[in-house]
């Protein structure tokens, strides 16, 4: 016995809609995270400057981002935190390191909010 084409189309549409609904329900939200880049800036006799560029990613905003030096002689210059970073927003922080520093230096970037995270990153020419 052959199933009429109209019934096959209706059955295929129902199965497709059910699969789409199941996929939609199971789509997980992307947790917030930071896209972080360290870019060497200018070199002067006093310091090597680096730009720490932080971009918010994910489906939820990040309540606060804090930047701190975790090893001397690295310094964070100017603003060291920013609040309410929505998806796609970028913030640039400035780091200074004395020229010729051979000891490993690092920076810690902390995100606060629904999903707190901490990122420890090397800065400068690592031995």
């Amino acid at each position: 016995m052959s199933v009429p084409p109209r019934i096959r189309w209706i059955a295929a549409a129902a199965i497709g809609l059910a699969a789409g609904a199941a996929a939609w329900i199971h789509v997980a939200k992307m947790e917030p995270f930071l896209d972080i880049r360290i870019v060497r800036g200018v070199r002067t006799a006093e310091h090597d400057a680096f730009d720490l560029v932080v971009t918010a990613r994910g489906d939820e905003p990040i309540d606060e981002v804090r930047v701190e030096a975790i090893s001397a002689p690295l310094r964070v210059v100017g603003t060291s935190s920013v609040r309410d970073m929505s998806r796609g927003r970028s913030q640039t922080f400035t780091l200074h390191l004395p020229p010729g520093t051979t000891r490993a230096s690092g920076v810690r970037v902390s995100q606060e909010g629904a999903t707190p995270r901490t990122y420890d990153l090397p800065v400068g020419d690592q031995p």
Side-chain angles (χ1 to χ4, degrees), residues 29-59:
K29 280 190 156 188
M30 183 184 272
E31 291 183 341
F33 67 97
L34 296 172
D35 181 8
I36 304 170
R37 291 182 301 127
I38 298 177
V39 181
R40 182 182 293 276
V42 298
R43 266 191 166 155
T44 67
E46 293 82 33
H47 60 263
D48 290 345
F50 295 86
D51 288 334
L52 176 73
V53 182
V54 178
T55 304
R57 303 286 187 212
D59 291 333

Side-chain angles (χ1 to χ4, degrees), residues 32-36 107-111 117-121:
F33 67 97
L34 296 172
D35 181 8
I36 304 170
V107 64
R108 175 170 292 143
V109 180
S110 302
Q111 84 179 41
R117 296 181 200 259
T118 301
Y119 308 83
D120 289 344
L121 305 161

Side-chain angles (χ1 to χ4, degrees), residues 68-72 74 97 103-108 120-123 126:
E68 60 183 304
I70 54 175
S71 57
L74 183 71
L97 191 62
R103 194 169 72 203
S105 296
V107 64
R108 175 170 292 143
D120 289 344
L121 305 161
V123 177
Q126 302 300 312

Side-chain angles (χ1 to χ4, degrees), residues 50-121:
F50 295 86
D51 288 334
L52 176 73
V53 182
V54 178
T55 304
R57 303 286 187 212
D59 291 333
E60 300 175 29
I62 296 172
D63 293 342
E64 181 179 20
V65 174
R66 286 190 318 272
V67 175
E68 60 183 304
I70 54 175
S71 57
L74 183 71
R75 291 187 309 121
V76 179
V77 180
T79 302
S80 63
S81 69
V82 63
R83 293 187 167 276
D84 301 321
M85 286 194 68
S86 56
R87 175 179 52 195
R89 179 178 169 198
S90 292
Q91 178 71 36
T92 301
F93 300 93
T94 303
L95 309 172
H96 283 180
L97 191 62
T101 301
T102 57
R103 194 169 72 203
S105 296
V107 64
R108 175 170 292 143
V109 180
S110 302
Q111 84 179 41
E112 299 298 329
T115 308
R117 296 181 200 259
T118 301
Y119 308 83
D120 289 344
L121 305 161

